[in-house]
Amino acid sequence: MIKKIIFFLFLFSIVIKVNALEINSKNAVLYNLDTDKIIFEKNKDEIISVASLTKIMTMIVAIENIDNLEEKVIITDNDFETLYEENASLAGLYVGEELTYRDLLYATFLPSGADGAQALANNISGSISEFVELMNQKAKELNMENSHFANPTGLDNSENYSTVVDMAKLLKYAKENSTFYEVFTSDYYTLSDGYKSFTNCFRNTGYYYDYDTSYILGAKPGYTDDAGKCLESLAYDEKNNTNYLLVVCGASTSREDAYHLKDTTEIYKYFFNNNQTVKILSAGDVILTTKCPYNKECKFTINKDIYININSDYDENKVAIQVDNLQKININSSKDNLVGTINILYDGNIIEKQD
């Protein structure tokens, strides 16, 4: 129940910073997927190399341009172009091998196979360059304003760059595709030739067993000299029934520790232990009642459930509604007329804004 309605002429917001987290990664962004809000960030808008996180774009573009996942294609020499010279990670495909598109998706994702990524590109678009055009078109569609792709593999290239917030935006979109989500959350897959492909996430480090990753639903690691160690993941906090998306990049490549994994687990556990997600309004709740023509009342309702992520006990008395620039409603008003702005606040902080 909302205890008060406050009318303000000016908007304000307060940025809440988490000072308890010190991480090795140079860039990070954490989304609470239930509130669709960023709740932790570090240099989230810095343009950086994102290594094999690029393959998330490769995967979703491929999936959206494949008519039949069971169609078979043949691996050719072109699918290995420059890969040996650049010491790229490979899925172990070989020239002349016949595989399905589904096989290639898993070969691209689980072992982070650059050969799988280039085979997808060549077979879908006829060339890597034409496939890259599709990748950049998708980036524009998703308003990834600080991203550009030069290859489907993520190998270092000055024209292959993004930001952690753009990469989070990409995964938020891609995870809604059932085929993508199935691949992203898989640990292994048996290709049609009988070869078993396993995820290289966490398994390429001797520190894997030092960290509890049981709550991580799926993840994509990446590493190049320019990018450092990167990791993008989805996680579920069972205790608080909360879903998260996290991207960390630029972690040290030192052999002392798997810093991208260390940062990931520390960020998740901090928020698992210090935060809770609370629904403060339900779709259909009346948030404002005002006078209409003929002495009638007009009731305004919220059009979706509103959640808040907080690190303390929830207090409903801290919920408030801020109404800005409310216009008089007359007999000529229609449903398309903007009559004001509603801001939903918790403890003085704006958490949702709607016309």
Side-chain angles (χ1 to χ4, degrees):
M1 177 180 177
I2 300 172
K3 296 295 185 181
K4 55 186 175 179
I5 295 179
I6 307 173
F7 289 80
F8 283 88
L9 292 177
F10 301 100
L11 307 182
F12 70 93
S13 63
I14 300 172
V15 177
I16 301 175
K17 294 186 177 180
V18 178
N19 297 317
L21 277 171
E22 294 291 337
I23 61 173
N24 180 273
S25 297
K26 295 176 182 178
N27 310 86
V29 65
L30 176 67
Y31 267 92
N32 179 323
L33 290 173
D34 299 309
T35 63
D36 195 27
K37 295 288 188 296
I38 294 174
I39 56 175
F40 174 74
E41 61 96 357
K42 179 181 179 182
N43 301 324
K44 66 179 174 65
D45 295 310
E46 182 183 0
I47 294 175
I48 56 174
S49 173
V50 291
S52 283
L53 301 192
T54 297
K55 293 188 178 85
I56 294 175
M57 177 62 87
T58 303
M59 292 273 294
I60 191 60
V61 169
I63 290 168
E64 292 182 347
N65 286 276
I66 295 171
D67 293 327
N68 178 11
L69 290 173
E70 307 313 321
E71 180 182 346
K72 292 188 175 182
V73 299
I74 296 176
I75 305 302
T76 70
D77 286 323
N78 290 338
D79 301 328
F80 296 89
E81 185 179 359
T82 76
L83 297 185
Y84 293 116
E85 297 89 330
E86 298 188 66
N87 196 30
S89 61
L90 301 174
L93 309 184
Y94 58 88
V95 175
E97 185 174 15
E98 189 176 59
L99 294 171
T100 66
Y101 276 120
R102 188 184 301 277
D103 290 334
L104 290 180
L105 292 174
Y106 281 96
T108 298
F109 186 77
L110 294 181
S112 201
D115 44 354
Q118 293 199 161
L120 282 171
N122 284 324
N123 281 281
I124 290 170
S125 296
S127 70
I128 290 173
S129 61
E130 290 188 20
F131 185 83
V132 168
E133 287 185 18
L134 295 179
M135 295 171 69
N136 286 313
Q137 287 175 19
K138 179 58 67 175
K140 287 182 180 179
E141 289 174 19
L142 298 178
N143 294 318
M144 296 171 65
E145 297 176 354
N146 294 306
S147 299
H148 185 271
F149 298 97
N151 58 58
T153 61
L155 290 168
D156 284 337
N157 184 306
S158 61
E159 294 302 310
N160 200 89
Y161 56 82
S162 187
T163 65
V164 289
V165 75
D166 271 3
M167 293 307 297
K169 188 180 296 185
L170 172 61
L171 183 54
K172 283 169 64 180
Y173 169 82
K175 73 181 181 63
E176 298 303 315
N177 181 288
S178 59
T179 299
F180 177 91
Y181 188 81
E182 180 181 344
V183 177
F184 191 83
T185 55
S186 295
D187 289 327
Y188 67 91
Y189 175 78
T190 303
L191 277 64
S192 17
D193 63 2
Y195 178 75
K196 279 194 174 182
S197 184
F198 293 89
T199 179
N200 74 346
C201 191
F202 315 140
R203 298 181 187 277
N204 59 352
T205 168
Y207 302 94
Y208 172 70
Y209 295 107
D210 292 343
Y211 303 103
D212 174 21
T213 58
S214 59
Y215 50 85
I216 294 180
L217 305 175
K220 179 74 189 77
Y223 162 73
T224 65
D225 291 338
D226 285 352
K229 290 184 177 179
C230 305
L231 189 60
E232 184 156 7
S233 56
L234 298 172
Y236 176 63
D237 175 11
E238 186 174 7
K239 182 182 73 174
N240 295 308
N241 189 29
T242 305
N243 292 280
Y244 293 97
L245 185 160
L246 173 64
V247 190
V248 297
C249 281
S252 170
T253 60
S254 167
R255 293 182 178 273
E256 294 177 2
D257 208 333
Y259 286 105
H260 61 324
L261 178 55
K262 183 177 184 180
D263 289 345
T264 293
T265 55
E266 287 187 358
I267 291 170
Y268 278 137
K269 289 188 176 180
Y270 176 88
F271 283 92
F272 287 5
N273 293 328
N274 295 284
N275 283 259
Q276 59 175 319
T277 302
V278 180
K279 182 165 73 171
I280 62 172
L281 287 169
S282 298
D285 281 354
V286 175
I287 55 175
L288 176 65
T289 300
T290 188
K291 289 293 184 183
C292 282
Y294 307 115
N295 206 31
K296 293 181 180 288
E297 287 186 338
C298 282
K299 294 183 178 180
F300 292 86
T301 61
I302 199 75
N303 61 7
K304 64 179 181 179
D305 294 342
I306 302 296
Y307 295 86
I308 185 174
N309 185 271
I310 54 176
N311 59 4
S312 59
D313 291 335
Y314 172 67
D315 181 356
E316 67 175 13
N317 293 300
K318 292 182 179 181
V319 178
I321 296 294
Q322 171 183 313
V323 182
D324 187 56
N325 294 327
L326 184 65
Q327 305 296 310
K328 185 177 180 180
I329 299 171
N330 57 51
I331 58 174
N332 295 316
S333 299
S334 73
K335 66 178 182 179
D336 296 321
N337 292 142
L338 177 64
V339 296
T341 302
I342 294 289
N343 299 283
I344 301 166
L345 301 91
Y346 184 80
D347 199 20
N349 301 299
I350 297 176
I351 61 171
E352 187 75 25
K353 180 186 294 185
Q354 289 194 7
D355 291 334

